[in-house]
Amino acid sequence: MKKYYITTPIYYVNDKPHIGHAYTTILADTLSRFRNIIGEESFFLTGLDEHGLKVQQAAEKNQVTPEVHCDQMAPAFIELWEKLNINYSDFIRTTEKRHTKIVQNILNQVHKNGDIYQDEYEGWYSISEERFITEKEVESGLFGEVKKIKEKNYFFKMSKYQSELIKKIESGELSIQPKSRKNEVLGFLKQDLSDLCISRPKSRLEWGIEIPFDKDYVTYVWFDALINYISAPKYSEDNNTFDLHWPADVHLIGKDILITHSVYWPTMLMSLNLPLPKAIFAHGWWLTDEKKMSKSLGNIINPLMLIDEFGVDSVRYYLMSEMVLGLDATFSMDSFVKKYNSDLANDLGNLVSRVCTLISNNFDDKMPNYKSKDSDLSKSFNAIDMKQHLDHFQMDSLLHKIMNFVRSVNGYMEKNQPWKLVKEDKEAAGHILYHAAESLRVAAIMLSPVMPEKSKEILIALGATASKLDWGALKPGDKISKGDPIFPRIVQ
Ligand code: MSP
């Protein structure tokens, strides 16, 4: 059966990983785990973009060869992913033979079908963007250092596919989300597309994949990098594997790399006669207000440093719930502490302790019996349509739904007061506690894609053995094992 195929951008190894890289990777990991929970098999690809000028320059700065530089940088990413509990299915580096070979196959194929030609071109070249830019872009002043360059290069006939691409985006065959990003791409496609310069003369840049039909050139880093999405699942090498994965269900990206993914990449795929990815989802930026951060907690300069202090799951939860679909978000220590204390310590953690303590004190540590399987809580649980949120990449609103459900369990406890009821009608109190505990079990499972470890702790406390989302899986009579508070309050 075809897998639900999720990708992150592959990250440049010119610098250490930071919050931006971490966010997209956690988002992909969370989405992948969520798809598993709704019964699908997922395939989650991430990796590193190791060619190009930026990496060559970073290596020069460190006085090592680009190969050595890449090998020195890769562990920083892999270690951070381990620390963040990232469960990727494959990790690709663009210097690996399995990738370079396929890039060269593709260049040959596209050359043969007439979509690559050589031409002399004179234009403005942006060093930071590593591409030729238009007069208009030069005037904008947004492209840093620019140089006038005249040289012979190879070009990909991107313009040939412009109208077909517009149709595919308009019809939703290629879904670009959120809608504002789709409009941005369609706006970009209103002007005539030029062809894409896909080579760099070795005299200017050596660090790249050699053009197979001209050894004086290397491949433009984006033409090389985008291919990772199909080289990892073995395009042109193993049809069965490829068909199990491609087309990707979603490319998760940041908004700054929207055009490369929504214009360059689909036209490359069209030239190869391959289906387009089903969706591209572009998230906003994390802004860190260092002043604000240092004011509230002098030592924190990087949100990733929170992991050691407050645990990986709470950082994952914060990042996933705080960034609203498609918008920018500002990281601040205050908002982290507020969210942690209100959602995790208070609403969720306290509830687990309270329910477990009541069961422990009144039912001899055993899950009480229920009168009927249904309750208001089972109804609100059944109303959460996870798939619908996931299909629209609305992770933040799904989390808010789940947390609202947790809050409704708190409301249910307040309304029914099992601590009082137990004195008059033990059976009725048992019923209430059973439903509260069962709600916490399903909530923990629904939260496990974001907080894999903490969810396990909650399930252990409840003595839950079933990990299915079917209501009523807790067994009356089973032992609970109330432990320490799961989310101790942060005292500032
Ligand atoms: N190598 C290219 C991607 C090639 S994919 C075929 C690249 N790499 S990158 O390392 O510069 O950036 C990777 C991702 O990190 C981008 O999606 C970018 O949006 C994201 N972020 C970088 N800083 C960010 C924030 N501060 N906040 C959120 N994401 C941002 O581009």
Side-chain angles (χ1 to χ4, degrees):
M1 221 185 38
K2 185 180 172 310
K3 301 185 187 212
Y4 189 92
Y5 181 22
I6 306 169
T7 68
T8 72
I10 48 173
Y11 306 114
Y12 283 130
V13 289
N14 57 337
D15 205 358
K16 290 210 188 83
H18 56 66
I19 182 81
H21 305 131
Y23 176 73
T24 324
T25 313
I26 297 172
L27 185 67
D29 185 58
T30 301
L31 181 61
S32 166
R33 291 174 190 258
F34 263 126
R35 300 297 321 192
N36 295 156
I37 288 215
I38 60 169
E40 292 173 20
E41 209 179 316
S42 59
F43 186 85
F44 158 24
L45 175 70
T46 188
L48 300 175
D49 191 351
E50 302 192 338
H51 291 124
L53 192 63
K54 281 185 202 166
V55 175
Q56 183 172 300
Q57 284 172 339
E60 274 162 18
K61 212 170 130 204
N62 291 336
Q63 296 179 309
V64 289
T65 62
E67 288 91 338
V68 170
H69 173 82
C70 293
D71 287 344
Q72 283 175 350
M73 292 301 293
F77 286 86
I78 294 170
E79 279 158 26
L80 180 61
W81 300 158
E82 247 167 57
K83 199 166 171 182
L84 285 169
N85 214 343
I86 303 295
N87 204 0
Y88 51 75
S89 318
D90 193 1
F91 187 91
I92 191 159
R93 296 176 56 182
T94 53
T95 47
E96 286 173 294
K97 185 86 189 141
R98 62 166 169 156
H99 174 73
T100 58
K101 203 170 58 179
I102 292 175
V103 170
Q104 291 189 324
N105 287 347
I106 288 176
L107 282 162
N108 278 329
Q109 196 183 330
V110 179
H111 190 220
K112 226 185 252 159
N113 76 18
D115 278 351
I116 290 177
Y117 63 93
Q118 201 183 28
D119 197 11
E120 186 158 62
Y121 182 81
E122 183 171 15
W124 291 102
Y125 192 81
S126 155
I127 306 288
S128 62
E129 288 280 305
E130 285 191 59
R131 64 174 174 91
F132 285 100
I133 56 175
T134 60
E135 285 289 342
K136 232 181 170 175
E137 286 175 316
V138 178
E139 281 161 24
S140 76
L142 294 170
F143 290 84
E145 195 186 335
V146 293
K147 271 207 278 194
K148 194 128 213 194
I149 289 184
K150 182 177 179 178
E151 65 190 16
K152 256 197 177 156
N153 266 309
Y154 288 94
F155 290 82
F156 165 59
K157 286 190 185 163
M158 190 157 77
S159 58
K160 177 174 156 187
Y161 298 99
Q162 176 162 10
S163 54
E164 204 180 328
L165 176 61
I166 294 174
K167 272 191 221 133
K168 285 179 192 280
I169 295 173
E170 276 173 346
S171 71
E173 182 182 332
L174 167 61
S175 159
I176 300 173
Q177 298 197 44
K179 210 164 170 223
S180 55
R181 301 289 165 219
K182 172 179 174 176
N183 295 338
E184 190 180 326
V185 175
L186 287 172
F188 178 86
L189 287 170
K190 281 207 176 107
Q191 48 175 348
D192 282 343
L193 268 188
S194 44
D195 289 340
L196 183 65
C197 177
I198 55 149
S199 66
R200 297 293 181 263
K202 280 191 186 166
S203 53
R204 190 151 68 75
L205 173 73
E206 261 182 274
W207 184 235
I209 299 176
E210 192 176 282
I211 299 273
F213 42 85
D214 192 336
K215 63 177 178 24
D216 292 336
Y217 290 84
V218 295
T219 311
Y220 169 46
V221 65
W222 272 101
F223 196 91
D224 152 4
L226 288 160
I227 289 174
N228 92 89
Y229 301 136
I230 56 175
S231 68
K234 299 192 165 65
Y235 170 69
S236 73
E237 300 267 312
D238 175 349
N239 287 344
N240 283 343
T241 305
F242 186 65
D243 292 344
L244 270 182
H245 297 83
W246 195 257
D249 290 274
V250 61
H251 292 316
L252 298 173
I253 59 167
K255 63 180 181 180
D256 54 322
I257 52 177
L258 181 66
I259 298 301
T260 46
H261 280 80
S262 315
V263 179
Y264 297 8
W265 179 226
T267 54
M268 286 163 68
L269 289 164
M270 284 183 207
S271 175
L272 293 170
N273 235 330
L274 286 176
L276 304 192
K278 290 188 192 155
I280 294 172
F281 174 77
H283 62 72
W285 281 77
W286 275 97
L287 311 169
T288 50
D289 181 351
E290 297 213 358
K291 237 198 247 148
K292 210 163 161 191
M293 260 197 281
S294 52
K295 227 200 275 167
S296 41
L297 210 99
N299 56 345
I300 300 267
I301 41 154
N302 178 345
L304 298 176
M305 287 164 70
L306 298 171
I307 302 171
D308 292 330
E309 202 163 345
F310 305 111
V312 56
D313 281 4
S314 54
V315 175
R316 288 173 62 115
Y317 177 78
Y318 172 80
L319 294 177
M320 289 302 104
S321 61
E322 189 72 4
M323 181 171 270
V324 175
L325 184 82
L327 303 181
D328 289 346
T330 304
F331 174 84
S332 82
M333 194 57 204
D334 280 347
S335 75
F336 175 80
V337 172
K338 233 183 232 152
K339 188 142 224 137
Y340 176 98
N341 277 343
S342 76
D343 290 12
L344 301 180
N346 209 23
D347 295 340
L348 181 59
N350 277 352
L351 182 62
V352 175
S353 307
R354 223 164 141 204
V355 170
C356 288
T357 305
L358 285 165
I359 294 176
S360 174
N361 293 349
N362 299 294
F363 294 87
D364 194 20
D365 282 318
K366 288 197 192 99
M367 189 56 59
N369 218 332
Y370 50 82
K371 288 184 185 163
S372 62
K373 245 193 178 177
D374 291 326
S375 65
D376 290 349
L377 294 177
S378 65
K379 279 182 212 128
S380 355
F381 161 66
N382 286 325
I384 302 176
D385 188 346
M386 294 184 44
K387 188 167 183 309
Q388 208 243 333
H389 286 270
L390 297 176
D391 285 346
H392 295 93
F393 314 106
Q394 298 167 329
M395 222 70 87
D396 57 310
S397 64
L398 174 57
L399 284 179
H400 294 160
K401 272 253 160 79
I402 300 170
M403 286 313 293
N404 276 340
F405 171 65
V406 169
R407 277 172 213 121
S408 76
V409 184
N410 273 311
Y412 180 82
M413 294 284 283
E414 286 312 313
K415 186 175 144 207
N416 292 294
Q417 312 212 327
W419 52 93
K420 279 192 189 152
L421 193 59
V422 75
K423 292 175 200 139
E424 302 141 27
D425 183 348
K426 197 164 173 184
E427 208 190 334
H431 173 85
I432 301 295
L433 288 171
Y434 176 88
H435 281 277
E438 179 60 7
S439 303
L440 283 170
R441 185 189 71 88
V442 293
I445 295 170
M446 289 190 289
L447 288 169
S448 66
V450 188
M451 300 190 285
E453 297 307 319
K454 291 291 176 185
S455 297
K456 263 186 229 153
E457 285 180 37
I458 297 175
L459 293 176
I460 290 171
L462 296 167
T465 45
S467 55
K468 282 237 165 98
L469 269 176
D470 307 326
W471 184 266
L474 279 175
K475 288 199 205 76
D478 274 3
K479 272 249 177 228
I480 62 157
S481 53
K482 183 181 179 293
D484 293 333
I486 291 171
F487 297 102
R489 239 190 127 67
I490 301 175
V491 188
Q492 264 187 312

